[in-house]
Amino acid sequence: MESDRWRSELYRTSKLVDRFLRLNQTITKADAIIVMGNNDDRTATRASRLFSQRLAPIMVLTGGIAPRTRQKNQSEARRYLDIIRDQLPYMVDDILLEEQAQNSGENSVYS
């Protein structure tokens, strides 16, 4: 009984967080698409889809080899570039890499 109540509360809280984090906005053209590295490769796939729609003339991939980086021999930005290159080989000349950032603050500063 207690575990059912706990599950119900966890579900309610996760739905609340999900609604808070969603951006229900129309995507419009921008000067650049800035993609901050993390351990979720779906980020690169989503960025690739947006870039293929020509929503910006350039894309900046930012992220170095941070303590939590999955592959310690490749920056997050370089890993994303490899993913995007497979999907959009004709657009890689319009992608800039920033491979020093170790956290979100540095992503912003270095980009």
Side-chain angles (χ1 to χ4, degrees):
M1 208 57 143
E2 181 68 26
S3 65
D4 288 340
R5 190 171 54 165
W6 182 83
R7 278 192 202 102
S8 176
E9 182 64 21
L10 179 63
Y11 178 77
R12 187 187 71 73
T13 302
S14 67
K15 294 299 277 182
L16 183 67
V17 169
D18 180 64
R19 270 183 269 141
F20 174 77
L21 293 176
R22 281 187 192 272
L23 294 176
N24 293 318
Q25 300 172 2
T26 303
I27 298 173
T28 59
K29 289 194 174 212
D31 295 331
I33 296 172
I34 299 176
V35 185
M36 296 167 62
N38 59 63
N39 283 324
D40 188 348
D41 290 344
R42 292 176 298 180
T43 303
T45 300
R46 176 68 173 145
S48 177
R49 273 190 258 130
L50 293 172
F51 200 43
S52 71
Q53 295 172 25
R54 309 269 186 203
L55 293 173
I58 63 168
M59 180 186 298
V60 180
L61 305 177
T62 175
I65 299 175
R68 293 187 186 157
T69 301
R70 188 179 327 155
Q71 296 174 341
K72 297 297 182 189
N73 62 338
Q74 185 180 44
S75 72
E76 294 170 342
R78 180 82 45 192
R79 189 177 82 245
Y80 280 8
L81 179 62
D82 290 346
I83 294 167
I84 293 168
R85 182 184 290 127
D86 288 343
Q87 298 168 3
L88 303 172
Y90 53 91
M91 294 182 78
V92 293
D93 291 340
D94 299 321
I95 299 174
L96 305 175
L97 291 184
E98 181 292 302
E99 299 183 88
Q100 302 303 310
Q102 300 287 302
N103 55 55
S104 300
E106 289 180 358
N107 287 132
S108 299
V109 170
Y110 297 155
S111 295

